[in-house]
């Protein structure tokens, strides 16, 4: 299939990561993570997040989010999140089924949630009849391609700490956020009070695998059981570990994210020049949301596929990936202009 | 790590499958299975099991088993299985957590369960106070390296049909069983009434990925939701699909299983020559169970690692894999003889 | 404790029902519902709802709602309901824990939900990534003391039928609704497409016990297992059954509801005369919602206790019960006037 | 219905308890336990178990057991219990559904489990692949009418403490056990290390209601949420509380249990005189298990109903209750003799 703007999971595997997979494929290795590659990958993560953190590899983002949240909750709890968050709109009822918890949503227009709205949502504390809020979960970057500033995260963290809540971050696109902020991972996660982080691999060039990083390591104490019970423990673990090792080496994570973000910025710039198109969100990371004339969408999707995000308004989502190239932006924009003309 | 007899998941990826992974790694592909590779792999499965079957790819064996069983049950049901079955001893409480069901176990000495014992276990039908048996689940080959004959499976199937139960097979080592029986997959699954099958890939040379095959396709009607909710839906699905395609092409599945089984047979033959060692199970597939003199075990584990299966009796498990070589058998046996002497 | 306006569950047991409890207390009776009293009570229900319905007694309203909904759903489903519904705000996360489902809420100002808003909420049908709406649940009367008209219910039912959804009614105060509408139970439940009904007993003068009425009896096929598993099957069932028999005899259900509703109407009339007080909801059944001057609330609560419903606006809830008497209304209103003066 | 030997839940309500129910039925009372009767009943319990314990009332035995166990476990845990325990054979899959845990059963012939067998069952500690034992649960008296001695309980408790497990007691017939042992409740529960106790009311003369007693009060910290979520929180709580108050007053609990136990002893004595009948269990409490000639069972069941416990061996269960009278024993035994003759 031709390159698309459909999703960063339409991409394949970055060559460096494919190389790593080929290289570890010799001999035997201890299963379920008892192997040298897993130790090495964990060490890599510790270089980024600190020696104290606990790292667990899982298969996918839903697994990382749901199991991470499960480690923070009892079934009578509630998880505060944006109504557009991936855990709310794109993970079926996995959060409810596995944690038993309520998702307590906050409406958002830009993908972010803010302290005031969170405070408003916290109700009936200690009331046995009502779900008890216990975790605040945010996505960084958000599902709308926006990125929380460090201060914004710190402010949410303060709300969490004030109420004795945990703070969870869905970082399926965390590398794109780090590049956008020009900050280290640590500066906008553990330094500002994030307890558990889903660190994304697949959308940034890996074949499969995500990491659950316990920045507050105490809450990790029973996670090995939760992961196994959650059907997310891989037997031939070296094949996840080596990918993370490669991703975190030679700034591969950064280079991939820079490419994706740069292409999104370029795409947005080009689209802004077209009067019939309206960019709807701040283009902070690797996604562009825009209202297109509905008439051009079907033909344009044939050129390079993408998803309509909001049917009613003809808002589309255009995702760039580590493998998006300038020529694709150009041909896409050219085709838009032809179709509009 | 040197080759071991620890587990067939200590092995890496078969070169043919690694090739396939490298080959599909170009361009974009629809995510979550909406890609040509997934269609092609499903077609391959249909060649083996019939046009009517429904195929879903998941990440691992626990996922395949638990979600397959989930599609067959309501939470007040019970699943009849061997007390040594993987779902009972090696999947944490994933079956209970995800299905809500009771595992209703039958004691076994050879890894198999038999119709009489199953009939004895079926109690209190229609009694609201008691878990209601609804599924019989067997492993083929079993966790003890034994293989059910076609007739044995047919006899269990008859019990299932008589009571209106479903019949599930954990086929994490189904290729080893097929080679052992010298039968097609179909002959000992759909032809004898198996409804849902976990078809193993990882232990037979894949990097990751298992398949849930609905031989009774009606019960698959809501499985796509169960898989997603069960956190087992891969985004970059082509990388599971291409592996299955390669495994099912050129009899790769068979060649791998032949190698593993042959090595197990050879190993058993050699061990039988040593009077201090007692083979405890019929060596039907790729595993050898044997009682070793406990004194030699630690030194021998350093030579080539393996697991002690039953501490009390010094029964060990020796698993052969697609990559086990004759020279490893020889050096292992040689070392045993040295240690015993 | 003096009579209050706190809740209809602050009341005791109506004397007719207490008599019934005393009368059945002799000799032995089959347990778990295998007794003549249960048969008789079920027959009574059939006189109201039709011969075809299936009736199950449970302990409480949360049990009735959650288990009724459980019989209609798989865990990947969503239940559409008002954001003020009892299942959403007052049953902890029992719905999520027991059904696995998402509660898909619709904002409401009067406690009711309407077809247009329901239609807007129905999204991403057949999309494996998103919770699949399967049930619409309404409360009759609502948590805000309002009552759906028959036409309003029929219109919601039409939406449910159009999409192949089930239609559930939380009737913890159904008798109050029937009196308000001056309709038979049947006319606003089974006649307009309600599939499963929680029929309330406790709030209308019973000691304990609610009924789950399957108006669409097919969906009841496995409810006996769900009830037992849901810990809602009483052993000495005659003591629930005899209460329902008494409640449904001699129009006791109606007389109790008439008293409660009449008192609420009277209370509202009196409150409307006080300029500093604003009635916020239509007083259709036995509850009055009103904004009180916040300064008078603490002293007034000492006179006759009631709950503040919305802290921010000083909106209070005043519930009348089968045992509320005119003199209590008068003394309460008198006290208000004193406090305001 | 005539008196039976079917079950202690075929009985009605003891007159003292019925009186208590009638007496509290006046005026209003705070709901959900915020009433004076609940405070008073809790105080009564503290007189028996100590000031430090925490008491929660629930509806039934399954609720008490499952929610009590839920407060002690995470979903990857296992609960060690007898294979004949009520939680294993008579509570559907409520334990699995609500706790997620495995029931790890120990075969028993007399209803009891013993330290050696428990130790044997404890396997694979800290192994993420296997359910992790965390609770030992026993029934006192057992489902087979036997009673653990204080020393037997202490010995099991020692196993629990050694492994860091919790110790749970299903005391649905705890009063019968106390009378049998001639010990205070405290002596065979908190004094010997029981952490959580289901204290039975219904089978000893109450209409409905059981108590969960946290003898180790720390583990009660979140039970109010578990109870509500578990659908076991009664609104008109005074009607459970007053029953427990009456049961624990004037030694009503003891007198009822003495009557039931005495009648069982008498019945056993009479049956022992009949050569064709074999008593199969020690008659420690209020149940008699005996093998009857199968030919006499149907006619005898018409005289006074009872249940066949084990079809294959014609073993029957004969339960005595607080309301069993000597004349019923005599007429029953007389009828047996007639039928055998």
């Amino acid at each position: 299939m031709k390159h698309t703007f459909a999703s960063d999971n339409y991409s394949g595997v970055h060559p460096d990561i494919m190389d790593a997979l080929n290289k570890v494929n010799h001999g035997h290795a201890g299963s379920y993570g008892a192997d040298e590659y897993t130790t090495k990958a964990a060490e890599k993560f510790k270089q980024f997040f600190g020696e104290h953190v606990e790292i667990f590899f899982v298969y996918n983002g839903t697994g990382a989010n749901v199991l991470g949240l499960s480690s923070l909750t009892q079934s009578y709890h509630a998880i505060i999140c944006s109504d557009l968050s991936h855990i709310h709109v794109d993970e079926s009822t996995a959060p409810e089924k596995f944690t038993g918890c309520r998702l307590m949503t906050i409406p958002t227009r830009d993908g972010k949630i803010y302290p005031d709205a969170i405070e408003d949502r916290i109700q009936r504390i200690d009331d046995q009849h009502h779900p008890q809020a216990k975790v605040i979960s945010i996505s960084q970057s958000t599902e709308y391609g926006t990125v929380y500033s460090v201060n914004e995260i710190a402010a949410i963290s303060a709300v969490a700490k004030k109420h004795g809540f945990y703070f969870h971050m869905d970082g399926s696109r965390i590398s794109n956020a780090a590049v956008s902020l020009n900050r280290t991972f640590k500066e906008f996660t553990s330094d500002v009070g994030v307890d558990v982080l889903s660190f994304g691999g697949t959308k940034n060039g890996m074949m499969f695998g995500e990491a659950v990083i316990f920045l507050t390591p105490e809450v990790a104490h029973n996670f090995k059981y939760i992961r196994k019970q959650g059907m997310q423990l891989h037997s031939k673990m070296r094949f996840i570990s080596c990918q993370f090792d490669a991703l975190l080496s030679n700034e591969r994570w950064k280079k991939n994210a820079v490419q994706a973000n740069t292409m999104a910025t370029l795409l947005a710039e080009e689209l802004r020049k077209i009067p019939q198109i309206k960019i709807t969100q701040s283009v902070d990371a690797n996604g562009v949301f825009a209202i297109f004339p509905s008439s051009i969408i079907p033909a344009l999707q044939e050129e390079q596929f993408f998803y309509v995000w909001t049917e009613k308004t003809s808002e589309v989502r255009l995702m760039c990936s580590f493998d998006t190239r300038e020529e694709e932006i150009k041909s896409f924009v050219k085709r838009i202009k032809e179709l509009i003309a």
Side-chain angles (χ1 to χ4, degrees), chain A:
Chain A
M1 187 194 276
K2 273 185 11 178
H3 281 209
T4 72
F5 297 110
S7 175
D8 25 16
N9 61 30
Y10 272 53
S11 306
V13 182
H14 187 275
D16 287 3
I17 291 169
M18 205 71 214
D19 277 356
L21 284 165
N22 283 291
K23 272 189 194 129
V24 299
N25 190 29
H26 61 87
H28 279 199
S31 52
Y32 302 112
D35 67 86
E36 61 187 299
Y37 311 101
T38 302
T39 307
K40 197 173 156 211
E43 285 307 317
K44 275 273 161 59
F45 271 109
K46 292 187 178 195
Q47 289 170 22
F48 286 90
F49 288 99
E51 274 304 309
H52 64 293
V53 306
E54 298 275 351
I55 299 105
F56 295 83
F57 299 139
V58 297
Y59 285 118
N60 64 356
T62 299
N65 286 333
V66 171
L67 300 190
L69 290 167
S70 185
S71 72
L72 300 173
T73 50
Q74 295 294 314
S75 59
Y76 48 83
H77 283 143
I79 297 157
I80 296 174
C81 61
S82 136
D83 64 344
L84 297 177
S85 60
H86 199 266
I87 57 171
H88 189 244
V89 300
D90 272 310
E91 302 187 357
S92 180
T93 54
E96 286 88 348
K97 168 89 175 177
F98 204 81
T99 71
C101 298
R102 169 79 45 86
L103 296 185
M104 206 174 253
T105 56
I106 293 176
T108 176
R109 292 190 170 277
D110 60 2
K112 301 186 200 174
I113 55 175
Y114 295 93
D116 284 359
I118 297 171
E119 283 285 6
D120 272 358
R121 202 72 178 79
I122 299 167
Q123 292 163 349
R124 299 176 64 180
I125 293 175
D126 293 338
D127 178 347
Q128 63 191 328
H129 300 277
H130 199 67
Q132 295 294 297
K134 188 66 188 171
V135 183
I136 303 173
S137 177
I138 65 171
S139 301
Q140 175 78 324
S141 61
T142 74
E143 294 77 7
Y144 252 151
T146 54
V147 172
Y148 287 92
S149 73
V150 176
N151 284 344
E152 285 173 333
I153 296 172
I156 294 172
S157 181
V159 177
K161 284 359 171 197
K162 172 183 158 196
H163 291 282
F165 297 169
Y166 290 112
F167 192 13
H168 172 264
M169 182 183 280
D170 175 356
S172 73
R173 294 186 181 101
I174 191 171
S175 298
N176 305 93
V179 163
S180 173
L181 291 172
N182 195 24
R183 296 283 197 139
T184 66
F185 293 129
K186 200 162 164 291
E187 287 174 306
F188 65 95
T189 59
S190 47
D191 284 1
V192 286
V194 173
D195 296 297
V196 179
L197 166 68
S198 298
F199 188 101
T202 313
K203 283 178 174 142
N204 200 27
M206 281 175 50
M207 183 186 284
F208 69 111
E210 308 278 305
V212 182
I213 316 283
F214 288 88
L215 306 166
T216 300
E218 304 85 82
V219 293
H221 76 282
N222 61 359
F223 193 73
K224 70 174 182 174
Y225 301 113
I226 291 174
R227 176 175 60 174
K228 174 66 194 185
Q229 186 186 47
M231 307 177 281
Q232 290 279 321
L233 176 62
H234 190 42
S235 55
K236 297 183 175 177
M237 187 69 92
R238 60 174 138 166
F239 295 102
I240 297 181
S241 306
C242 75
Q243 293 184 75
F244 271 119
D245 184 26
L247 188 71
L248 296 179
S249 298
N250 306 318
E251 302 208 313
R252 177 42 55 211
W253 66 269
K254 183 182 275 189
K255 291 170 191 163
N256 282 2
V258 163
Q259 178 66 14
N261 288 12
T262 306
M263 288 301 102
T265 303
L266 176 62
L267 176 56
E269 275 170 19
E270 293 299 318
L271 294 178
R272 280 201 185 91
K273 296 175 188 163
I274 304 171
Q276 294 88 340
I277 286 176
K278 183 171 174 264
I279 305 286
T280 58
Q281 297 290 339
S282 175
V283 181
D284 297 344
N286 63 321
V288 179
F289 288 77
I291 292 172
F292 275 23
S294 61
S295 59
I296 71 166
I297 291 175
L300 196 56
Q301 282 175 322
E302 279 181 38
E303 173 74 17
Q304 265 155 290
F305 188 67
F306 57 87
Y307 286 104
V308 175
W309 205 243
T310 317
E311 283 289 350
K312 284 188 186 171
T313 57
S314 296
E315 185 187 39
V316 305
R317 183 185 79 155
L318 306 166
M319 295 305 295
C320 295
S321 179
F322 75 88
D323 64 353
T324 306
R325 291 162 304 201
E326 201 166 329
E327 67 224 55
E328 288 146 25
I329 309 285
K330 287 191 174 151
S331 68
F332 186 70
V333 171
K334 184 168 164 246
R335 185 75 182 120
I336 293 172
K337 289 175 178 166
E338 288 169 10
L339 287 166
I340 282 180

